[in-house]
């Protein structure tokens, strides 16, 4: 099995720069041992105008079985034979993705010591994979690569050219063309080749979630097919898929149900997962927030740090909430939120209930005054600790809604995430994660400083030992006068 990556040069940039980026010299043919066989890297062409690197993977299917690395997930009756007679030597499968990540490790991480200035630069790239197993056919191949900026040619390969009646095989010849940063292009392939193959040849280990999130950084969250990609990549293991979704943070999906549908559709020749489909934590959190808002009798609500607008969308569906304002510092998140809510096409009545605007919670803002309630859902942990007093003052000192809901991860629960290495936070952008005790301390002090009462509620399964995955504080105002800042200065 093989793939080639080509680029063309310009007067100020020779095409052979590709060799620097890949950390493989164009003049040498090299061989690497990988867990599954031998990987060869060679350059069929390399001059200033054009440079092509080829990765050729020589698979040893028998050795794979002996080492026990070739086991599928189930115990299908023909599995024994399939382990020896299969398409692995030819088809660009997850094994190619593994080889890619072994042989081009630095390139994948975007490291280039010899010419660091090349790393972030977009190059005209052409990637060719002559035999790509594509479950979902050419149409799905296009749907996966096109949103990433590739021009896609995916030609179905006939089963046998001499017998056109036999129809097409499940393989396509893939050509991708586009101006891309090489490291990103490699990460697209690393994730999407196994997704298209859709039959991982090794057991999905819990650290696969980490690998997926790392390789998907910067593109997966916004990919229109992120659900399918995540679910397939993780071999449809529900607990892992849900966890990846939860940890992607910005991909809070109201409709993980679609995943279940895909799962059923595709469960033809695979051992079906017996794991029960749980309610995603993000959904449980949203439900808990809505319940608390109703309990507080809130009608006009601020969603502070609203992200991509999932909560705003849920609140809009409930007529109890007459005015909903989403605020976020990230313009990109707000753009996605506006798209999700279909703000442009919304009827006048509906539109009059909702507003999105950009703002930073580190500053007081007059526009935030006068609401019944404010929600800070999974927001505080995104601020550096020294910035928290500023947020505290902006919300509790200045805006002063009657009710404030704050949710944040309970770090004690992290040991229950199957795939989270010890000592890691759940999401790369979390500046801190608190224990229940730490959260209670902070919230208690905030309440006292600003004239609020506070109570705590678990969100998600309340583990007897480590507590719930999400913790929520419900603040209720007790005095209506403006308060002093954390530093004791008089409020403006
Ligand atoms: N509330 C959403 C999103 C949580 S992610 C949810 O529960 O799904 C955290 C969000 O806080 C991000 O969208 C981020 O842009 C926003 N954020 C971080 N710091 C902020 C600040 N200083 N002011 C406003 N929003 C901020």
């Amino acid at each position: 099995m093989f793939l080639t990556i080509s680029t063309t040069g310009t007067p100020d940039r020779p095409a052979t720069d590709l060799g620097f980026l890949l950390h493989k010299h164009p003049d040498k043919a090299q061989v690497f041992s990988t867990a599954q066989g031998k990987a060869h890297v060679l350059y069929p062409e390399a001059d200033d105008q054009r440079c092509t690197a080829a990765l050729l993977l020589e698979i040893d299917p028998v050795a794979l079985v002996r080492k026990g690395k070739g086991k599928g997930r189930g115990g299908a009756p023909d599995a024994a034979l399939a382990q020896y007679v299969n398409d692995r030597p030819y088809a660009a499968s997850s094994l190619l993705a593994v080889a890619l990540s072994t042989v081009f490790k630095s390139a994948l991480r975007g490291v280039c010591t010899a010419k660091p200035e090349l790393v972030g630069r977009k190059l005209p790239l052409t990637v060719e994979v002559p035999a790509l197993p594509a479950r979902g056919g050419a149409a799905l191949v296009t749907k996966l690569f096109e949103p990433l900026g590739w021009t896609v040619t995916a030609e179905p390969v006939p089963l046998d050219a001499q017998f056109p009646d036999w129809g097409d095989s499940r393989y396509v010849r893939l050509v991708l063309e586009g101006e891309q940063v090489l490291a990103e292009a490699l990460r697209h392939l690393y994730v999407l080749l196994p997704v298209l193959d859709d039959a991982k040849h090794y057991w999905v280990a819990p650290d696969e979630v980490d690998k997926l999130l790392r390789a998907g950084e910067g593109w997966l969250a916004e990919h229109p097919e992120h659900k399918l990609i995540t679910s397939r990549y993780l071999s449809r293991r529900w607990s892992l898929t849900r966890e990846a979704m939860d940890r992607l943070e910005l991909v809070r999906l109201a409709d993980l149900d679609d995943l279940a549908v895909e799962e059923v559709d595709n469960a033809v020749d695979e051992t079906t997962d017996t794991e029960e489909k749980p309610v995603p934590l993000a959904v449980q959190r949203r439900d808990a927030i809505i319940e608390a808002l109703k309990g507080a009798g809130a009608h006009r609500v601020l969603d502070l740090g609203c992200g991509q607008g999932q909560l705003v969308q849920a609140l809009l569906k409930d007529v109890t909430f007459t005015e909903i304002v989403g605020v976020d510092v990230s313009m990109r998140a707000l753009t996605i939120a506006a798209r999700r809510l279909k703000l442009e096409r919304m009827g006048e009545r509906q539109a009059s209930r909702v507003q999105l605007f950009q703002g930073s919670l580190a500053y007081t803002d007059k526009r935030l005054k006068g609401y019944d309630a404010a929600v800070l859902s999974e927001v505080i942990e995104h601020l550096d600790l020294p910035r928290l007093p500023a947020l505290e003052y902006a919300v509790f000192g200045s805006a002063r809604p009657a009710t404030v809901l704050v949710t944040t991860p309970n770090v004690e629960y992290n040991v229950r995430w199957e795939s989270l290495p010890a000592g890691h936070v759940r999401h790369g952008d979390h500046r801190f994660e608190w224990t229940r005790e730490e959260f209670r301390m902070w919230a208690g002090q905030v309440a006292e400083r600003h004239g609020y009462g506070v109570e705590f509620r678990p969100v998600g399964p309340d583990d007897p030992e480590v507590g719930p995955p999400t913790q929520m504080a419900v603040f209720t105002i007790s005095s209506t006068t403006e308060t002093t800042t954390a530093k004791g200065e008089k409020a403006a």
Side-chain angles (χ1 to χ4, degrees), residues 190-191 195 207-217 219-220 226 229-231 233-234 244 248:
Y190 175 75
V191 173
V195 161
D207 71 341
E208 289 294 310
V209 177
D210 284 315
K211 286 190 197 159
L212 173 65
L213 297 189
R214 230 179 293 132
E217 205 174 311
W219 63 271
L220 181 57
H226 58 236
I229 295 170
T230 308
S231 147
Y233 188 90
L234 298 170
L248 271 173

Side-chain angles (χ1 to χ4, degrees), residues 116-425:
E117 72 280 6
L118 291 178
V119 164
R121 206 192 279 179
K122 288 193 175 181
L123 303 177
L125 293 179
T126 304
V127 175
E128 193 169 344
V129 187
L132 172 73
R135 188 175 184 135
L140 183 62
V141 177
T142 307
K143 256 166 98 175
L144 293 186
F145 283 102
E146 232 172 40
L148 299 170
W150 291 104
T151 305
V152 182
T153 311
E155 290 166 356
V157 176
L159 260 182
D160 191 319
Q162 297 204 336
F163 300 95
D165 290 353
W166 291 4
D168 291 329
S169 66
R170 69 183 193 101
Y171 303 93
V172 300
R173 180 182 149 266
L174 172 69
V175 182
L176 301 171
E177 290 161 290
E179 292 273 331
Q180 300 273 357
V181 171
L182 182 72
E184 284 168 13
L186 292 174
R187 288 201 286 261
H188 298 161
L189 295 168
Y190 175 75
V191 173
L192 296 180
L193 293 183
V195 161
L196 284 162
D197 181 20
D198 199 26
K200 277 211 158 185
H201 295 124
Y202 53 93
W203 178 268
V204 174
D207 71 341
E208 289 294 310
V209 177
D210 284 315
K211 286 190 197 159
L212 173 65
L213 297 189
R214 230 179 293 132
E217 205 174 311
W219 63 271
L220 181 57
E222 261 123 76
H223 196 295
E225 296 294 336
H226 58 236
K227 280 179 280 185
L228 178 143
I229 295 170
T230 308
S231 147
R232 278 198 182 187
Y233 188 90
L234 298 170
S235 296
R236 304 203 172 78
R237 280 194 60 194
W238 256 106
S239 61
L240 294 184
T241 304
R242 182 193 57 172
E243 187 175 327
M245 292 299 193
D246 280 344
R247 286 174 51 195
L248 271 173
E249 281 288 328
L250 293 177
V251 200
R252 300 291 166 64
L253 295 159
D255 45 5
L256 270 177
D257 293 342
D258 300 357
L259 263 181
V261 173
E262 209 236 343
E263 191 165 6
V264 172
D265 286 351
N266 285 297
V268 246
D269 57 359
E270 270 162 66
T271 351
T272 20
D273 219 313
T274 46
E275 283 180 44
E276 233 177 90
K277 191 186 106 172
V279 180
L281 182 57
V283 175
Q284 296 187 49
R285 192 155 42 220
R286 222 145 41 226
D287 290 348
I289 289 168
I290 292 174
E291 196 186 310
L293 287 173
K294 288 192 166 183
H299 302 294
R300 304 176 59 244
V301 177
L302 296 166
D303 183 8
L304 304 176
C306 64
Q308 303 189 350
Q310 289 88 338
L311 177 65
V312 173
Q313 186 177 38
L315 293 173
L316 261 176
K317 290 195 182 127
D318 192 322
V319 291
T320 319
F321 304 107
T322 54
E323 207 181 322
I324 304 143
V325 179
V327 182
D328 204 286
V329 75
S330 154
M331 213 44 220
R332 202 169 69 147
L334 290 171
T335 309
I336 297 170
R339 219 182 299 145
R340 168 191 308 276
L341 299 170
K342 303 192 175 72
L343 273 191
E344 308 262 87
R345 276 168 284 157
M346 203 176 258
E348 224 172 274
R349 239 181 114 128
Q350 192 78 330
S352 69
R353 289 172 60 209
V354 59
Q355 239 191 98
L356 296 178
F357 64 75
Q358 190 185 22
S360 169
L361 300 167
Y363 301 94
T364 57
D365 190 333
K366 286 202 188 78
R367 296 173 296 181
L368 305 184
K369 289 191 189 220
Y371 286 86
D372 300 332
V375 178
L376 286 154
S377 164
E378 309 295 284
V379 173
I380 58 169
E381 65 276 10
H382 289 266
L383 274 82
D384 290 322
L385 272 174
R387 302 294 282 164
L388 262 195
L391 172 139
E392 173 190 333
Y393 181 67
V395 176
F396 295 90
S398 163
R400 290 189 72 68
T403 302
V404 182
L405 307 181
V406 179
T407 76
T408 194
N410 163 23
V411 72
E412 295 166 78
Y413 192 87
N414 286 5
V415 296
R416 295 283 184 268
W417 293 124
E418 215 183 310
S419 77
L420 195 63
H424 280 233
V425 291

